[in-house]
Amino acid sequence: MKLLALLPFALFACTSEILPPLEAPIDEIDPVEDDFSDDDDDNNDDDDDDLPEDDDDDDLPDDDEDEPEDDWEDSADLPPFVDDCGTADNETIQTASGLSSVDGTTWTDVQLCSGELDVYRIDVPPGEWLSVSIEIDGSGQGSTDLDIYEFENPASPLPAALDIVDDTYTTNIIWYSYAETSVESLAWYNDTNQAETHYIAVAPWDTATADYDILIDTSSYDEGVDCDVFFSNTSESGPCNEIMQFPQSNALDQGYVVSHDVHYSHLRREVSYLIRYASDATAAMFPGTNPLGLLDMSERDGSTPGTMVGQLRHPQGTHINGNDIDVAYYQTGSDNLGRSVCPENGSFCTSAPDILDARRSAYFMAKLMESPNVRVIGVDPMIAPVLFAAADDLRSEGKITANQRSRMNSYLAYGDGWPYHQHHLHFSWTWESGHSTSDTSNEGCLVENDEDYEVPRVQGGW
């Protein structure tokens, strides 16, 4: 499969030995009331039964309050929509066809003919999250394999630190969605007070041709540590429990960049709010901080990443329902993408970390600790003591509170049961139907050689 070919990971089995963290005994991690465990490979109670079928943004009941409050009207200069075939009417940014940003807008049976691109412009309304999805008429494999690429807006160049796609094409590719699947999508959040313009291209792999539908989904989106304060419906069926695609960053002050496959980049809304809050706060506390790489989350339907290709990237039962996310460590190098921060043997650090930015990493974790819904943060056992020492310094400087520092003792997990965390931390959320067990070992193990984006598979002189 092409996805596996481009992301050549080798899946390693995680140890089944259950060991407590070095400094934080397992029994110090507060349990919650309901029975919902994703720690074990053989659990049978942690599937999606508590969620509605097709648990995506617009299928949850009683979530009307996440809809945009004001009616959005497209810009007067938005080009008309074009469905061309053989006429090359929307092949470039300059000739892009317009997509309305009105929630729920759909175009059906759009044609992508042989040798063509379909380039579109879409304006993300102020204060809103927006996704563009294509649903392909076919399997999305072989002759119907279509993908979405985002082109850099020439009128608003992306900061270099956010342009993590290493491509050499005429048109700068800054993000993309591709896999052998019938659905591809990209999503953004506009935190400014004016519309932000994005350009995307629907492109074939090899000689693929297919019809496809385009779907626009928008939602209100907020910034803060606690999602529940923004909505009146705080139940399990409310907006905060929606699984949403994590929006790609548009600005350095947001503090992060989605750096893994978009198909594995879906989180519960409330978890995404917290991650964004902590990364934004870290960028504000430490000026000049490079964006923090966000790694595996869940698949679109809440499944463990890798389910769609038949090769799990994490133990079965972890990274489900948008509760978990892997996050790179802050580093002393030129970026904060996913890589080992220490000498290592493929599973663990073998000596103290040598490129870890412990202060930024500890501060980020302390900001996460402001939420009462943290279940566990897992790290490598050689990294944990360095983080604790940095947190002590931050506390003595008044940059974090005593409560934040204390909670790190209780909720930071490490030990022999946490392999493959030399290049990222694993964050897990306590959901309403969350974990009653206090066992947090052997969880969230990622495949070895955790790389970031590869060069996109594109043809032609883009």
Side-chain angles (χ1 to χ4, degrees), residues 26-260:
I26 289 294
D27 59 9
E28 288 184 14
I29 298 179
D30 296 338
V32 295
E33 296 180 356
D34 298 310
D35 185 12
F36 184 92
S37 173
D38 70 7
D39 294 337
D40 300 322
D41 291 354
D42 58 353
N43 58 313
N44 296 314
D45 298 327
D46 60 354
D47 54 23
D48 297 345
D49 293 345
D50 292 327
L51 294 171
E53 294 183 5
D54 298 329
D55 178 39
D56 56 29
D57 312 304
D58 48 9
D59 292 326
L60 283 168
D62 301 327
D63 66 350
D64 292 341
E65 61 182 324
D66 73 328
E67 298 302 322
E69 295 182 2
D70 299 320
D71 291 333
W72 166 256
E73 294 185 1
D74 293 314
S75 170
D77 69 348
L78 184 72
F81 178 80
V82 174
D83 181 5
D84 74 325
C85 189
T87 58
D89 289 335
N90 61 337
E91 303 289 299
T92 67
I93 289 176
Q94 291 72 27
T95 61
S97 173
L99 295 180
S100 171
S101 301
V102 175
D103 183 53
T105 303
T106 303
W107 297 265
T108 60
D109 299 326
V110 182
Q111 296 177 298
L112 184 68
C113 297
S114 178
E116 289 192 341
L117 301 177
D118 285 345
V119 181
Y120 300 103
R121 166 186 154 183
I122 188 156
D123 299 333
V124 181
E128 290 188 17
W129 172 94
L130 180 147
S131 75
V132 179
S133 301
I134 64 169
E135 295 184 355
I136 301 165
D137 185 8
S139 65
Q141 303 176 6
S143 63
T144 62
D145 185 354
L146 308 184
D147 306 312
I148 304 178
Y149 297 88
E150 181 178 4
F151 291 162
E152 183 177 46
N153 181 351
S156 181
L158 193 70
L162 294 174
D163 185 1
I164 63 172
V165 180
D166 183 15
D167 65 282
T168 57
Y169 300 97
T170 303
T171 303
N172 187 22
I173 299 170
I174 58 176
W175 201 29
Y176 51 83
S177 172
Y178 67 65
E180 291 181 323
T181 180
S182 61
V183 177
E184 305 285 356
S185 65
L186 296 177
W188 308 270
Y189 165 55
N190 179 1
D191 65 354
T192 73
N193 59 7
Q194 57 187 348
E196 289 186 339
T197 295
H198 295 264
Y199 291 95
I200 64 170
V202 177
W205 168 241
D206 200 15
T207 59
T209 61
D211 291 353
Y212 61 94
D213 299 342
I214 306 173
L215 297 85
I216 305 300
D217 188 14
T218 69
S219 172
S220 61
Y221 203 80
D222 307 283
E223 298 184 85
V225 66
D226 184 5
C227 178
D228 284 343
V229 305
F230 300 105
F231 300 98
S232 59
N233 181 0
T234 61
S235 69
E236 293 185 23
S237 62
C240 290
N241 286 319
E242 294 175 313
I243 296 178
M244 306 174 70
Q245 185 171 342
F246 206 107
Q248 185 57 291
S249 178
N250 301 309
L252 292 176
D253 61 3
Q254 295 177 350
Y256 73 91
V257 61
V258 178
S259 63
H260 266 198

Side-chain angles (χ1 to χ4, degrees), residues 273-285:
Y273 280 20
L274 179 60
I275 297 296
R276 284 177 49 88
Y277 168 80
S279 65
D280 179 89
T282 304
M285 174 59 70

Side-chain angles (χ1 to χ4, degrees), residues 193-392:
N193 59 7
Q194 57 187 348
E196 289 186 339
T197 295
H198 295 264
Y199 291 95
I200 64 170
V202 177
W205 168 241
D206 200 15
T207 59
T209 61
D211 291 353
Y212 61 94
D213 299 342
I214 306 173
L215 297 85
I216 305 300
D217 188 14
T218 69
S219 172
S220 61
Y221 203 80
D222 307 283
E223 298 184 85
V225 66
D226 184 5
C227 178
D228 284 343
V229 305
F230 300 105
F231 300 98
S232 59
N233 181 0
T234 61
S235 69
E236 293 185 23
S237 62
C240 290
N241 286 319
E242 294 175 313
I243 296 178
M244 306 174 70
Q245 185 171 342
F246 206 107
Q248 185 57 291
S249 178
N250 301 309
L252 292 176
D253 61 3
Q254 295 177 350
Y256 73 91
V257 61
V258 178
S259 63
H260 266 198
D261 191 324
V262 299
H263 296 88
Y264 305 150
S265 298
H266 295 78
L267 272 189
R268 201 172 301 283
R269 180 195 292 265
E270 56 196 355
V271 186
S272 70
Y273 280 20
L274 179 60
I275 297 296
R276 284 177 49 88
Y277 168 80
S279 65
D280 179 89
T282 304
M285 174 59 70
F286 300 97
T289 297
N290 285 317
L292 181 63
L294 305 185
L295 313 179
D296 278 13
M297 306 175 203
S298 294
E299 291 190 6
R300 183 184 183 91
D301 64 354
S303 299
T304 302
T307 300
M308 59 182 283
V309 296
Q311 185 173 358
L312 295 184
R313 295 166 54 85
H314 308 267
Q316 184 178 1
T318 63
H319 281 265
I320 62 170
N321 298 334
N323 286 324
D324 303 339
I325 178 174
D326 290 338
V327 182
Y329 295 108
Y330 288 94
Q331 298 153 48
T332 58
S334 59
D335 62 57
N336 296 312
L337 302 180
R339 65 172 60 82
S340 179
V341 296
C342 58
E344 43 114 340
N345 60 13
S347 301
F348 293 98
C349 294
T350 54
S351 60
D354 53 359
I355 62 169
L356 174 71
D357 189 326
R359 285 174 62 83
R360 284 178 169 87
S361 297
Y363 186 82
F364 174 75
M365 294 181 194
K367 299 306 287 185
L368 295 176
M369 294 298 172
E370 292 183 25
S371 170
N373 296 309
V374 175
R375 191 177 74 85
V376 69
I377 299 177
V379 300
D380 185 273
M382 297 288 293
I383 293 174
V386 181
L387 293 173
F388 284 134
D392 288 338

